[in-house]
Amino acid sequence: MAIKRTSALLGSAAVIFGLMGTTAMAQSDDNAITVVTPLAYDNLDSCNSSADVGVVVRENVTEALTHLNPETGVPEPRLATSWEQTGPTVWRINLRKGVTFSDGEPFDASAVERSLERMFNPELDCLNRGKLFANIRLTPTVIDSHTIDISVENPQPLMPIFMSFLTIESPNTDFDSMTNTPVGTGPYVVSERGVSDPIVLERRDDYWGETPAVAKVTYLQRSESALRAAMVEVGEADIGLNIAIQDAINPETDMAYLNGETTRLRFTFEGPLADIRVRKAMNLAIDREMIRDGLFTESYRIATQMFLPRINGYNPDIEPWPYDPEQARALLEEARADGVDVDAEITLIARVNFYPNGLEAMEVMTAMWQEVGLNVNLQTMERAQWLRIVNKPFAEPRDTMVIQEQHDNNSGDATFTMHFRYHSTGQQSEFGDPRLDELIDAADVATGEERVSLFQEANAYSASEIVPDVMMYHMVDYMRVSTRLDFTPDEVSNSMLELSKIEFNENE
Amino acid sequence: MTDRCFPDNGPVARGNTRITTQGRADFVGHYFRQRTIHSAISLFGLVIIVFFLARLTGNPMDLLLPVDTPQSVRDEFSARHGFDRPLIVQFGQYLSDLVRLDMGNSLRDGQPALEHVLAAFPVTLMLSFWAMLLSLTIAVVTGSIAAWQPGGIFDRIASLISFLGASIPDFWLAIVGVLVFAVMFRVLPTSGTGTPWHWVLPVSVLFVRPCGVLTQVVRSSMIAALAASYTKTARARGVKSRTVIFGHALRNAMLPIITVAGDQAAGMINGAVIAETVFGFPGIGKLLIDSILFRDFAVIQAAVMLTALAIFVLNIGIDLLYAILDPRVRHG
């Protein structure tokens, strides 16, 4: 009797586990994919497309006038077919014909005008305005149904780049409030979106461009990297974003790519840090290769400036700082002999959870500086605390600090980095140097080769004559991509995951 | 922890005086009035604390806007949401809205904060319900059997496992659970919602610790009950072991078990943070964590308020359960 009962129980368990297995391993539709992300995208309004939500909406739901080539950073036609500068402050844009929004409204100049005016509507928390157009007011003038002029107060040579952030929404979009179901001209529509629901995009049948291979996309949020990796491994998801280094262990599916972020430590130019010899010594004391190999991976590139080589103004001739603790000690002794208090305390400000192994890197750097005789102490801060010390107006007196920073420039031009960080009026600049200001100001209004050359000169001058920071790395992210997909992430995948670039592997 | 006694200053007859039905009704009415007043005072205190402590952590605009946003834009955004006004003015506005049951809108998506909370709360309640049901059932059975022969082999194994259960970190258990059952054996989904199978891992992770704690409580409480003279008498009269354990001893051992179970349940309602975060369950714990990270004050306040209300209700329920189970409490 007991044996019969045991057998029955085991049999039932086998059936239950069998059913569970079937349920758990159920595959999704052939042309549907699931993307698992670490962040909850609470507001899909395309007015925020320069922020995290750009991964979902940019170029998938709403399209911009131009599109930046991820490899070259050069603006290419999208909703605008051509553009020209017709005056110092006026750009004429020719718009694509035969395009409709997913709600059936035609795409034309008046739709562009309305989208621009909506972005500048002070009633909206539009992050694109806050991030990109805080100091630039764009004024649209409709010329005809598919031609529009955009004018600015001051000459703006970067208009084609700015146009890559001008996402155009349907004229039916609410003008005075943000929307969670944006309607654009892109190849996908938001088909499901409610409080706490996953985001689902479905392919349009009437898209003006080439029909993408992916028919339906579901975005799920899981905060744990190990879980995101596991979901792709077992087939519950097809793409896992931001996989941590320790979870990226499958070379077949885990892809490393430069994520557009660059890390550095910023000097505050106070106490001993006001002396350039001390700043140089702090650079010479750091063994960047050892830190990279020990805490990060070979894919990280040692940085010499705050943006990647594809950005206008990158100077390939700037050499990374060598690791030379002897020279660092000599420079410190020289400064000490001239009366600089090189023994004064320097605080290294590290931000918690900034990037993987970031805090460990700060600990190693602190030890390296202590090794050459500097009095450096490490202090960690949560984001809100950290924000209070990185932006002007700075509290007086300013402490003697080295501050951990990370910056992304996916906008194609050096001005989005240089002005803010190195110009005397920059919100995060710690110093004022007339020569550097002059170079940045001249570059800002220049075009073409002259612009590139001026920014390169500014970068070289800053790196050799000012030494405002300890440059670290061009950072890398990992993405886990299912073998059923044919997709390779690029430098902009963290801010814009274009679904039309995803194909299916036929042999899977 | 809320005290589990009825107030001793109520209109309850004491000593040898018999309690009338009217007197008992008066007593219950008085009890609920007292508890409601106490709860309202506590809730108001909580509102003040949460409001001001949340704002001590910084301006949400600093987190909402990119690091590179100019100060002028930060100031403009702050002003639009009223964060530039003195704190006391903001608090006054919040109270005046609260009176009209307007808990404000989420900073992240502009939707009413209460809508977010009401969507998340049932998920947490369901998760907590199943986890507590499982915990209590397993703990009562295991603890009672272990107490029947203290020091025996079953008792030793049960004690070891319950100690382990009470000590294992939730987070570790969740990740290992995913790796073993979802990745290695592929018998359960890793996370999410949708089918009953999606509930297995979160409920399992959530029930382990309370089950460990409760098994210990049941065991010690039952050892005392089984050593009492009435159970010895029952045994001497040849009453079946099962009846002695579950019929006589358990009912008398229930009060400390309910006390601890109440605390564990309150902890779960407060947000099964780890289980919800790891498994992507859209419950109140996950909502709170996300809201705290983004300084979404309206949602934080609404979630805390609703959670506090639920815990007050739970405490009252537990007090009533005391009265049902123990005639000494029921009759004053």
Side-chain angles (χ1 to χ4, degrees), chain A residues 16-17 20-21 23-25 42-43 122-127 129-131 134 180 195-196 221-224 227 230-231 233-234 236 382-384 386-388 391-392 407 420-421 427-428, chain B residues 56-58 62-71 73-74 76-77 80-81 108-109 115-116 119 171 178 182-183 186-192 195 197 277-280 282 286 290 295:
Chain A
I16 289 168
F17 269 72
M20 288 161 79
T23 310
M25 294 309 298
D42 297 292
N43 191 321
E123 294 304 310
L124 291 186
D125 281 345
C126 174
L127 297 187
R129 182 176 86 248
K131 183 173 183 179
N180 227 346
V195 171
S196 306
Q221 188 239 339
R222 301 286 183 269
S223 50
E224 284 309 311
L227 194 69
M231 288 176 74
E233 185 169 341
V234 302
E236 289 177 15
E382 193 259 352
R383 179 180 159 135
W386 175 86
L387 276 169
R388 283 178 212 147
N391 283 322
K392 286 179 180 173
H407 166 64
F420 210 74
R421 283 168 177 74
Q427 184 151 323
Q428 292 181 357
Chain B
L56 274 182
T57 61
D62 288 341
L63 296 167
L64 182 73
L65 295 166
V67 175
D68 296 357
T69 305
Q71 191 57 42
V73 178
R74 289 180 189 281
E76 177 203 322
F77 275 53
R80 188 161 52 255
H81 291 282
R108 289 178 290 168
D109 65 3
E115 201 176 303
H116 281 280
F171 179 78
V178 170
V183 178
R186 306 204 172 189
V187 292
L188 288 172
T190 59
S191 57
T195 70
W197 305 113
T277 305
V278 170
F279 295 109
K286 183 171 182 298
D290 289 346
R295 307 293 193 276

Side-chain angles (χ1 to χ4, degrees), chain A residues 2 8 55 89 99 115 157 165-166 170 194 263 355 384 417 436-437 461 474:
Chain A
V55 168
T89 59
V99 176
S115 286
F165 291 97
L166 294 180
S170 161
T263 50
Y355 43 82
T417 300
L436 188 59
D437 283 358
Y461 177 78
H474 297 306

